[in-house]
Amino acid sequence: MNYLLSSWNYLDLAATISTIATSIYWLKNGSAPTWAITFSTLFLEIKFIIFLRPIKFFGIYLAMIMNTVDRVMSFLIIFGFFTLAFAHSLHLLLRSESELSQDSSINMFGQFGSAIIASYYMMITGDTEPISYWISNENIVIMILMIMVSFFMLIYLMNLFIGILSEIVSNGDHELAYLALKREIIVEIELLYMLPYQRRKENWFPFVIFYECDTIMLRDYILDIPYNKRVFDKMPYPSKNLIESLRLPEGEQIEEIIEKDFTKVYNYMKKGLPTREELKGLIKDLPTHNDLKDLKKLIEDLKTDK
């Protein structure tokens, strides 16, 4: 099941299945459809690009691309549903117009498949050329439909999508994403490309691995685990010795500390901001310029006495 959770594996499956199916068809019939060869070649070339993942120069950006796709997949599915709805509406509205003209390039909405492509093209580019032939003052339905689509799809959803992408890219830790991707590659090599005796080699896979890290960063990292502030494939389990060495509180103690901090903040805010008279009193208690001069003189005298 974990295999299906990675976007990289879908590309591998597409390249493998399309190539095998096309090859079998070619061997049995002596030739293969052009579209099958086209898609097989496309997926194989994409898979070749994926082989550049271990190289940091390319891997950071490939990890960024795939992580972004994983985060916005649900949004893309919803956007696809809206595209289908818009294409279906135009297909029902304009399919009768195809009988008036034999030129299929004029009416792309006569067939549902071409209607989807035309609708997607209009939503992505904002170009209304596929439907401009029918836009007129007499056809009020198309004008209303185009106004609705222009506002909701082109302005609202597309700008929302751009904003989501910008937030994901700007707030993501791409170096960490690349390291996670590299870890997946190592796991894949160990599981699929190594024999059992190779996995048992201690010089390749030592029993104990020592890491160097900043203790403050490690402490913050462990404290973030119970609150899911970081992305984990598997929830890490810090050992008791590690917790004791970093002097970390237990899980329940962490919650108590946070609750106390919130209580302090709430009580402070409940008291309200200081009044003008209180501020004057605070300012009055501050040392003046003469007090600082006297303090400086006293320090100089003490130095002289020594």
Side-chain angles (χ1 to χ4, degrees), residues 94 97-98 100 105-110 129-140 142-143:
L94 300 176
E97 300 291 336
S98 61
L100 303 177
S105 62
I106 294 179
N107 189 2
M108 296 183 64
F109 299 94
E129 183 179 356
I131 205 173
S132 60
Y133 182 78
W134 293 276
I135 296 178
S136 63
N137 294 331
E138 298 178 357
N139 203 332
I140 304 298
I142 291 184
M143 294 180 64

Side-chain angles (χ1 to χ4, degrees), residues 21-80:
T22 304
S23 301
I24 293 174
Y25 188 90
W26 199 330
L27 291 173
K28 290 182 64 177
N29 300 282
S31 62
T34 304
W35 64 267
I37 298 174
T38 302
F39 280 104
S40 299
T41 305
L42 173 64
F43 290 134
L44 284 174
E45 290 174 348
I46 293 176
K47 187 173 182 179
F48 172 76
I49 297 173
I50 293 175
F51 283 143
L52 301 175
R53 288 180 294 169
I55 304 174
K56 188 175 182 180
F57 184 77
F58 304 102
I60 291 179
Y61 296 100
L62 288 173
M64 184 193 309
I65 292 170
M66 299 309 296
N67 286 341
T68 304
V69 171
D70 292 336
R71 297 280 296 275
V72 300
M73 182 60 69
S74 57
F75 183 90
L76 293 176
I77 293 174
I78 294 173
F79 185 81

Side-chain angles (χ1 to χ4, degrees), residues 241-253:
N241 293 332
L242 180 61
I243 292 176
E244 292 177 354
S245 61
L246 294 175
R247 297 181 180 179
L248 292 172
E250 299 293 337
E252 296 180 356
Q253 296 177 354

